[in-house]
Amino acid sequence: MTTSATQGSANALALSRIIASEPRWVGVRSARDALGLPDRVLLHAGPPLANPRQPPPAMRNSALLACLHEGWAPSEAAAEQMIASGMVTLQPSFDHRVSIPLAAMVSAGTTLAEISDGQCTWFAFLGTGAGAQIRFGSRDRAVIERLAFRERELLPGFRDLLDSPVDLLSVARSALTEGDDLHNRLSSGNALLHAVLSTRKADSAAAKTALQTVQEAPLYFLNLWMPACALMLDAAANTPGSTLVTKMCANGEVAGIQLAGLPGRWFTAPAALVKGPFMKGAPENPQFPPATGDSGIIDAFGLGGQVLRRAPSLLAAFAPWLPDGDEARALSQVCGAHPLLGVPIALDAAAVAATGKSPLLSTGMVSADGRGLLGRGICAMPVSLFAEAAAALGK
């Protein structure tokens, strides 16, 4: 049986491993080259789907568009049949060390950003910039041109700009002082990322296009920060006895977590709803959707929903859905301070179980029926997930 003393020692060791990881953006390559990902395989966010042949509507739309982008299918109907028959297989992103936003998909031709701390590597779904987004899960054919634009322009552009690595922790540290939660608000982080890249050699037309893309998409830094958090938390995996959360994500059906002391073992529960203000231009009659995406790793790291106190604009927007005393709740559920970021980090499943209060996930809302982006909001993660995981580790 794990005692509080041994658990504390294990968590201290896990925390030290997290802090020792210093993620940097070091390159861009296709998923085929980076992962050896074969054709007719699509990676999705979150834990494994109950039935990969019948993904939730938003994911199904994105999978369909990915099939058309790759040229695997000549029509939407043919793509739907390939997915339903299993000719195209859907696999969880975490099995391949990739972080995927919302309902997006990664295929062999997808450009990935490579995030490394010099010892290990994690990969990022590279954003396509402003305009139609595959991560929103709508069946918008304009997405296909945005994906082609990424592979045609952004891949060579960022390759030119990354003549030396980008220190992501330094960007994050400054952004936290400027009102970012580094999940739902990243405008300061994005401006800093653009400033760093602007110092690089940008003679080629593709490099200039890549710079402009970062400037025009206020959440572009999110695509890099997700795998950075995944990489840092993954450094704590295989720490015996540790109750720190190393994975936290959702797939529109279930939410899931893993613990440092039980690597590879998913604990899942039905995905809770994301609640917040609907944006102007949202589809008619919007409904709060279940959580989806890999970006919950940011909140597991201890940012996002655990640092809303540092993001006044989000506090104001989410006030109707925020529980009273949430700052105290957040501070009671994280393990210890990060010396560079200057904030407490590392969500502790045992602490969550002890408080009986839900950690918050600060994330985007995409329509569950595949109609696109609804806005941004917060999701109360089920306490049962953390209690079950902590109890399993205790045994």
Side-chain angles (χ1 to χ4, degrees), residues 343-356:
V343 293
I345 64 162
L347 192 62
D348 179 0
V352 172
T355 63

Side-chain angles (χ1 to χ4, degrees), residues 65-336:
L65 294 175
C67 289
L68 295 177
H69 167 61
E70 289 283 359
W72 299 338
S75 66
E76 292 186 14
E80 284 189 304
Q81 178 58 31
M82 293 179 75
I83 295 163
S85 67
M87 290 178 64
V88 169
T89 60
L90 274 63
Q91 300 177 3
S93 56
F94 279 105
D95 288 351
H96 298 265
R97 301 178 69 82
V98 178
S99 293
I100 298 177
L102 296 175
M105 293 281 160
V106 164
S107 57
T110 299
T111 299
L112 301 178
E114 182 178 356
I115 311 300
S116 174
D117 62 2
Q119 301 295 322
C120 297
T121 300
W122 207 275
F123 293 94
F125 173 94
L126 191 70
T128 55
Q133 302 282 322
I134 193 171
R135 64 193 176 107
F136 297 157
S138 68
R139 195 174 296 198
D140 184 348
R141 294 291 289 263
V143 165
I144 298 173
E145 171 50 36
R146 296 306 301 175
L147 297 176
F149 163 78
R150 178 184 58 197
E151 272 71 88
R152 182 180 66 246
E153 301 287 342
L154 298 186
L155 174 59
F158 283 121
R159 188 173 285 158
D160 288 348
L161 291 171
L162 292 169
D163 53 355
S164 61
V166 174
D167 182 349
L168 298 177
L169 280 177
S170 294
V171 173
R173 176 186 59 191
S174 298
L176 283 167
T177 68
E178 298 294 331
D180 280 2
D181 75 331
L182 288 176
H183 192 165
N184 248 327
R185 186 188 189 277
L186 300 105
S187 51
S188 297
N190 211 64
L192 290 161
L193 174 65
H194 182 265
V196 170
L197 292 174
S198 295
T199 65
R200 309 295 176 84
K201 185 177 180 181
D203 294 339
S204 69
K208 293 175 182 177
T209 297
L211 273 175
Q212 183 179 355
T213 299
V214 173
Q215 188 174 40
E216 292 175 349
L219 296 180
Y220 206 83
F221 184 62
L222 175 65
N223 300 295
L224 307 171
W225 187 238
M226 287 165 53
C229 290
L231 181 66
M232 290 185 283
L233 291 180
D234 193 57
N238 291 295
T239 304
S242 174
T243 53
L244 298 192
V245 178
T246 54
K247 291 180 175 62
M248 188 162 80
C249 54
N251 62 21
E253 297 175 340
V254 299
I257 65 170
Q258 291 188 21
L259 300 188
L262 293 170
R265 180 173 173 182
W266 285 107
F267 296 88
T268 62
L273 300 182
V274 184
K275 300 179 180 181
F278 297 118
M279 68 181 190
K280 292 181 180 179
E284 293 184 2
N285 302 315
Q287 303 294 317
F288 293 137
T292 189
D294 285 338
S295 58
I297 197 71
I298 297 170
D299 308 70
F301 183 74
L303 304 177
Q306 313 338 316
V307 293
L308 291 176
R309 63 190 179 278
R310 301 180 70 97
S313 63
L314 293 180
L315 277 176
F318 298 157
W321 298 276
L322 276 173
D324 293 336
D326 190 62
E327 179 177 347
R329 185 280 310 164
L331 290 171
S332 71
Q333 293 178 345
V334 288
C335 181

